[in-house]
Amino acid sequence: MGASGGFPIDLVLFGMIAAFLVLRLRSILGRRTGFERQAPPYQPPAAPRMAAAPVIEGRVEPATPAAPQTVPEATSPNGQILVQMREIDHAFDVNRFLAGVDQAFRMIVAEFAAGDRVALRALLSDDTYQAFEQAISSREAAGEAQISEIKSIQQLAIEQAALKGKVGQVTVRIVSDQISYTRDKDGKPVIGTDAVTEINDLWSFERDLSKQDPTWRLVAARSG
């Protein structure tokens, strides 16, 4: 993510396939059910709103303030690509997709900071997991710890949309306020700062829209 933290910037790929996370991710990033109606044409949200509280294994999680969402006008080039995605998969909903980006972003940041290899293994591709695992191992060998706390997400904005055959890719700008730093074995910051800092990231998600699996996978991330 941003240069102020220890989280990798230029190489992030993950597959949201963990059994214990699939209900959350599918309820947020898009889920097909036998009773789901075709969603109406998307419209940019008029104002920030509270995100619906997702139900996970019968429990209702506390709702969190939804980050402001920005989507392209339907008549713009990127907007037309999103319309084409909906023509391939009628269940695709851009606002629900962005709500899923919000949750996925929080999960990846938290699990990397915690060094939770099991959770990360389920979220990352093989190559990216190796990079994350190496970073975690290096931290542990040095007696360092990663501290990451997302205070708020200020913006989720679709920057680019592309369609190659039936494979869609959407790049989202994520502006967040974070405390993100690495501290040494004595507890002193060595990378980043313990002050709240605005971090600007670009994450790209990809999915084959012709397949039943509604999961979008993060294929690239960089500092914006």
Side-chain angles (χ1 to χ4, degrees):
M1 289 187 302
S4 59
F7 190 71
I9 293 175
D10 293 317
L11 179 63
V12 181
L13 304 168
F14 73 92
M16 301 174 189
I17 57 174
F20 70 96
L21 292 174
V22 70
L23 290 179
R24 168 180 287 184
L25 295 177
R26 289 193 174 188
S27 68
I28 296 169
L29 287 177
R31 181 177 184 175
R32 298 175 184 271
T33 71
F35 302 98
E36 186 168 11
R37 296 177 297 174
Q38 178 173 334
Y42 73 89
Q43 295 293 333
R49 63 192 186 283
M50 292 297 292
V55 178
I56 301 175
E57 297 179 354
R59 304 187 309 275
V60 177
E61 294 198 336
T64 56
Q69 298 180 355
T70 302
V71 301
E73 294 291 337
T75 55
S76 69
N78 285 325
Q80 286 296 299
I81 294 296
L82 294 172
V83 170
Q84 292 174 35
M85 290 182 187
R86 288 180 63 85
E87 291 173 351
I88 298 172
D89 178 9
H90 298 313
F92 174 64
D93 180 88
V94 69
N95 298 117
R96 186 168 56 189
F97 166 79
L98 286 173
V101 171
D102 184 311
Q103 295 299 316
F105 181 78
R106 295 174 189 272
M107 290 161 60
I108 291 292
V109 171
E111 300 303 352
F112 176 76
D116 189 337
R117 290 175 171 84
V118 174
L120 286 173
R121 188 66 187 87
L123 295 170
L124 306 175
S125 69
D126 291 342
D127 290 343
T128 306
Y129 173 75
Q130 292 177 8
F132 275 57
E133 201 283 329
Q134 290 174 4
I136 293 170
S137 295
S138 295
R139 276 194 336 230
E140 293 174 343
E144 297 174 342
Q146 174 66 27
I147 309 301
S148 294
E149 181 181 354
I150 297 176
K151 293 295 186 179
S152 64
I153 295 180
Q154 299 298 326
Q155 183 184 31
L156 295 168
I158 292 180
E159 294 278 303
Q160 186 174 16
L163 190 60
K164 297 180 180 179
K166 299 299 179 66
V167 178
Q169 186 176 110
V170 182
T171 298
V172 181
R173 181 176 300 279
I174 307 170
V175 180
S176 62
D177 289 336
Q178 294 187 39
I179 294 174
S180 183
Y181 66 98
T182 302
R183 66 187 184 194
D184 63 19
K185 59 184 178 181
D186 297 321
K188 298 178 180 179
V190 293
I191 300 174
T193 174
D194 58 2
V196 177
T197 303
E198 182 178 283
I199 298 178
N200 200 322
D201 294 291
L202 288 171
W203 283 26
S204 296
F205 296 84
E206 188 173 275
R207 175 180 164 236
D208 187 336
L209 297 162
S210 66
K211 294 186 176 180
Q212 292 295 315
D213 183 359
T215 302
W216 288 81
R217 290 175 171 79
L218 185 66
V219 296
R222 64 186 187 275
S223 174

